[in-house]
Amino acid sequence: MREPEHRGPGTASGSVSGTAAVVLDGDGVVIARSERAATLLECSPGRTCAPLLGMLPRAGTDAGPAGHLMTAPGVDHAGRQVPLVCTFVRLAAAHAPGGAGAATQWLVLVTPAETAEEAAERDAQRRRTGLSQAAAAGIGTSLDMIELAGTLVNLLVPDFADLATVDIAENVLVGDEPPHFRTSGDVRLRRTAAAQSPEISAEDLLAVGEALPPVTDSTLMRPLMEGLPVLVPDVAVLRAALGVDPKALPLFVPSGAHSSIAMPLYARGLILGCVTVWRSQLPSAFGEEDAALLKDVASRAALGVDNARRYTKEHRSVVTLQRSLLPRSALDSAAAETVGVYQPAGGGSGVGGDWFDVIPLPSLRVAFVVGDVVGHGLDATAAMARLRTAVQTLADLDLDPGELLTHLDDLVLGFSEEQMNSESHAEHPGRSERSEPAVLGATCLYAVYDPVTGQCAAAAAGHPPPVLLPPEGEPLFLRVTPGPPLGVGGVPFEVTEFGVRPGSMLAFFTDGLVESRSGDIEEGMERLRGSFAGAAPGLPLDELSRAVFDGVRPQESVDDAALLLARIHALPPDQVAEWELDADLSLVARARELVVGQLSEWQLDELGFVTELVASELVTNAIRYAGGPVGLRLIRDRVLVCEVSDPSSTQPRLRRARETDEGGRGLFLVAQLADRWGCRFTGTGKTIWTEQPIGGPPA
């Protein structure tokens, strides 16, 4: 009979192991045996096997007690007795020689029983294998250092250790790269996570969130600086060699612990932190195999911490850039009171390219902008910065919303060509590939509101329409004709004009506020409309914005979101004066009289001389070069605005007249006298405007 070659998991080196087989007759005589049985039992074929004879089942039974324990001598290399587990199986009856009746035969399987030491070693090996597998599966899946540290200590306790702590360098926690520490006294760590079994006493141990006191450099601590573990089989040795104030020892060493391992989180030659484990209830002290296993686990954790550090640094940079680019959250002007809110996705982890802006325009008008750049991270934020800067530059040209989006669309196409050219020449084209989608497919809505006329003009490039909340009545989505997203090219953007009553509110938002993984965007927009409908009348804008975010945005948001609320103002009629003049140069004197009289009525006589001169020059130029009718308008608020409109679409040009020139000094004179001046084109021609500071808001 051949001995099985398989060795079970409980096999221990230094002892005779494996399963032996013996076939006995009913009287305990050995009929056959395996080679292993000759070593385990003093039984020879044809002879009675005394150790097994007393264990044979009684006559008339089918089998003996499975797993019956017995002791047999001389089974290991040292001659020590080893407990054996014997299992009896009844074989088919065989006919005895000479025609006698059938004889009973038994198959006996004999296996060396596991010793206490072997059982303990097997259990320790099982724990080590389980920890290694769990570490490979669980560590490094998160880019949050706090979460990663918590995962690590929970893996180590309670199977591997009774107490585990993770301490991370303070500069690593904020995303900075740590310096090359020379001694342990230079390292500044902060407790980031801890886990313990209920039996260990660690009340005085340093709490999570606290900074570790410096540890004096010593022979014991020196291996840590080289990325090696410090194995302490006897904690008494650690207490003596730690080199800290005895009163501070409870901060470092839990009472009742008998052994410990400290393992640095070591990556790229830098110490990112340290993981320390202690045993108190687990009877066996930490050994070299445990230290090797912890080193493997800590190596995985160090890579995860380093990746999390890099992410933290980039995320911090993105947040700083995003906040620096967005305007102040609350603004108040003659046209509107505004509040803007931005929230990244995933509790701050998904900072992206959504933005809003409020841009003051000449003649007390204001532009509302909201946009959405594809993606998250630094690329999306940088793309958003380029678009926002472009919008501000184009807004300074005083273009209508449709024309502005057309120019912005051309710029995005230029960005795309620039990135593709960069990709073809760059050493790392992957960076360009990540940047390109962040610009292509971006959306934007641009609206201009005039508080004098109460009219608003808006155009959209692939962006959802704003919500209008009138002073009385239900909220509604404005019918702004959506154009294609930016970067498509070749498609005009249609301008929608609508009146807005004073006291109304406009809400501009990005799709991250209303879309979710499971729901339709139309459902989210309806939730948004309902949220405004259920808001208390007269609620402050900042409170309303928080209520909208809490009531509308999905709990697990997939995208960052921006919301811009604008409570609309209208300029009172007594702050505006306007006249229409025929194309007759003799009416320039009449224009001067009208301006001086109106400023006297507004008690702004100190501005009379300059304004009279400015209006005279602008009206004269309009009549002389553009014809009539000529519009003249004064607007009084924080500044005094003087506007002259004519039917010509020719851009006025500022130039310096020569001494012999008879004209050409009018516009130059206007530019010198006014605080600001400019020109914008309208549907019927152009308007030249000037601003002069009044020194304060009107009474």
Side-chain angles (χ1 to χ4, degrees):
M1 180 178 296
R2 186 182 177 195
E3 175 189 354
E5 295 181 357
H6 174 71
R7 301 177 66 159
T11 299
S13 100
S15 66
V16 179
S17 58
T19 302
V22 181
V23 178
L24 303 176
D25 64 11
D27 298 324
V29 177
V30 177
I31 299 174
R33 69 177 185 185
S34 67
E35 293 181 8
R36 178 63 65 191
T39 306
L40 294 176
L41 301 167
E42 296 179 357
C43 299
S44 302
R47 294 186 178 184
T48 301
C49 184
L52 299 179
L53 180 62
M55 300 174 61
L56 281 174
R58 295 188 303 273
T61 62
D62 291 333
H68 191 88
L69 188 66
M70 63 169 291
T71 302
V75 296
D76 67 2
H77 297 293
R80 293 172 298 189
Q81 291 185 339
V82 174
L84 302 176
V85 177
C86 302
T87 303
F88 293 78
V89 179
R90 184 185 181 90
L91 300 177
H95 290 280
T104 302
Q105 294 182 355
W106 299 94
L107 171 64
V108 185
L109 302 177
V110 183
T111 305
E114 194 174 48
T115 65
E117 292 80 5
E118 291 172 338
E121 176 59 28
R122 181 174 60 84
D123 184 60
Q125 184 62 35
R126 176 190 59 80
R127 291 198 306 269
R128 286 193 288 266
T129 302
L131 174 59
S132 181
Q133 293 174 346
I139 294 179
T141 58
S142 172
L143 291 175
D144 186 313
M145 268 184 276
I146 307 299
E147 183 179 340
L148 191 152
T151 300
L152 178 58
V153 295
N154 289 329
L155 284 175
L156 296 170
V157 177
D159 284 347
F160 183 75
D162 293 307
L163 172 67
T165 60
V166 172
D167 308 311
I168 295 180
E170 292 185 336
N171 42 7
V172 172
L173 285 171
V174 297
D176 295 334
E177 183 163 302
H180 288 273
F181 298 113
R182 298 182 181 275
T183 67
S184 59
D186 298 332
V187 184
R188 296 293 181 268
L189 302 178
R190 188 170 294 274
R191 182 132 300 165
T192 309
Q196 67 182 79
S197 58
E199 295 82 7
I200 194 169
S201 176
E203 292 82 4
D204 298 327
L205 207 64
L206 196 72
V208 172
E210 297 292 328
L212 269 72
V215 177
T216 306
D217 187 43
S218 63
T219 305
L220 178 68
M221 305 301 294
R222 210 155 290 154
L224 293 176
M225 310 309 296
E226 300 175 1
L228 301 175
V230 172
L231 172 63
V232 183
D234 186 356
V235 169
V237 176
L238 177 63
R239 294 177 184 274
L242 200 55
V244 299
D245 187 342
K247 295 181 180 179
L249 270 177
L251 296 175
F252 293 92
V253 183
S255 60
H258 59 72
S259 63
S260 172
I261 305 175
M263 182 67 215
L265 297 172
Y266 198 73
R268 298 181 294 107
L270 300 172
I271 295 177
L272 307 178
C274 183
V275 54
T276 309
V277 292
W278 307 85
R279 278 185 181 172
S280 173
Q281 300 302 311
L282 293 172
S284 59
F286 287 114
E288 295 293 341
E289 290 188 6
D290 297 313
L293 174 60
L294 185 61
K295 183 177 181 181
D296 178 65
V297 172
S299 297
R300 297 178 186 272
L303 291 176
V305 169
D306 199 36
N307 289 335
R309 180 198 65 80
R310 294 170 185 268
Y311 173 78
T312 300
K313 183 176 183 178
E314 178 173 326
H315 183 264
R316 187 181 63 179
S317 301
V318 171
V319 170
T320 302
L321 178 61
Q322 179 77 285
R323 289 176 177 172
S324 68
L325 292 173
L326 293 177
R328 286 182 297 166
S329 59
L331 296 171
D332 196 1
S333 67
E337 174 194 0
T338 62
V339 166
V341 182
Y342 170 81
Q343 284 189 5
S349 61
V351 178
D354 287 17
W355 93 94
F356 60 86
D357 211 344
V358 180
I359 305 174
L361 297 177
S363 303
L364 306 183
R365 296 169 305 132
V366 65
F368 305 116
V369 191
V370 63
D372 185 357
V373 170
V374 178
H376 301 94
L378 191 57
D379 288 330
T381 304
M384 177 271 285
R386 300 183 76 177
L387 289 184
R388 180 173 181 259
T389 303
V391 170
Q392 291 178 328
T393 302
L394 293 170
D396 194 50
L397 299 177
D398 221 341
L399 305 173
D400 74 66
E403 189 175 356
L404 183 141
L405 290 182
T406 299
H407 283 286
L408 190 64
D409 188 51
D410 292 339
L411 285 173
V412 169
L413 289 173
F415 293 161
S416 175
E417 293 178 3
E418 173 189 328
Q419 289 156 353
M420 287 188 291
N421 292 335
S422 174
E423 177 183 345
S424 62
H425 293 93
E427 290 184 2
H428 304 286
R431 289 193 170 183
S432 296
E433 289 172 358
R434 288 186 293 119
S435 300
E436 183 179 344
V439 182
L440 290 177
T443 66
C444 182
L445 187 145
Y446 185 84
V448 176
Y449 171 68
D450 188 340
V452 176
T453 63
Q455 291 292 308
C456 186
H463 205 86
V467 181
L468 173 63
L469 289 81
E472 299 88 17
E474 293 295 317
L476 56 95
F477 286 98
L478 293 172
R479 297 183 178 274
V480 177
T481 304
L486 298 173
V488 174
V491 180
F493 297 94
E494 184 175 336
V495 178
T496 302
E497 296 188 6
F498 50 91
V500 185
R501 288 188 289 162
S504 299
M505 189 174 69
L506 289 171
F508 306 89
F509 60 95
T510 59
D511 56 9
L513 182 64
V514 294
E515 69 178 356
S516 63
R517 287 190 177 93
S518 56
D520 187 85
I521 191 171
E522 296 296 333
E523 297 177 3
M525 293 180 69
E526 184 57 32
R527 287 197 310 271
L528 177 63
R529 195 193 65 81
S531 178
F532 284 121
L539 193 68
L541 290 185
D542 57 343
E543 296 182 21
L544 180 59
S545 64
R546 289 194 296 268
V548 168
F549 261 94
D550 293 341
V552 176
R553 198 176 189 203
Q555 293 294 325
E556 296 184 1
S557 55
V558 298
D559 197 4
D560 52 339
L563 174 67
L564 175 63
L565 301 181
R567 184 159 284 149
I568 298 302
H569 302 326
L571 213 60
D574 61 357
Q575 291 181 223
V576 180
E578 54 185 333
W579 307 274
E580 186 174 291
L581 305 172
D582 293 330
D584 185 350
L585 288 175
S586 64
L587 296 178
V588 174
R590 174 60 179 163
R592 290 196 294 265
E593 293 175 0
L594 293 172
V595 167
V596 172
Q598 187 61 56
L599 293 182
S600 177
E601 183 179 334
W602 284 342
Q603 299 181 359
L604 296 176
D605 299 275
E606 69 277 8
L607 299 178
F609 176 75
V610 171
T611 310
E612 178 187 5
L613 186 56
V614 166
S616 176
E617 291 293 337
L618 294 180
V619 170
T620 299
N621 284 346
I623 294 175
R624 181 173 293 167
Y625 300 111
V630 173
L632 174 62
R633 183 165 70 170
L634 297 179
I635 305 172
R636 175 178 66 99
D637 191 67
R638 293 179 174 88
V639 295
L640 176 66
V641 179
C642 177
E643 295 181 343
V644 174
S645 302
D646 62 56
S648 171
S649 57
T650 302
Q651 175 74 36
R653 184 166 58 91
L654 181 65
R655 64 186 182 90
R656 186 180 296 274
R658 294 171 296 181
E659 293 183 1
T660 56
D661 290 342
E662 295 184 2
R665 297 176 178 82
L667 199 55
F668 178 79
L669 186 62
V670 169
Q672 297 301 308
L673 294 174
D675 189 53
R676 292 201 313 153
W677 77 279
C679 174
R680 67 175 179 272
F681 294 98
T682 65
T684 58
K686 68 174 180 293
T687 297
I688 301 178
W689 55 269
T690 65
E691 286 184 4
Q692 299 174 70
I694 293 178

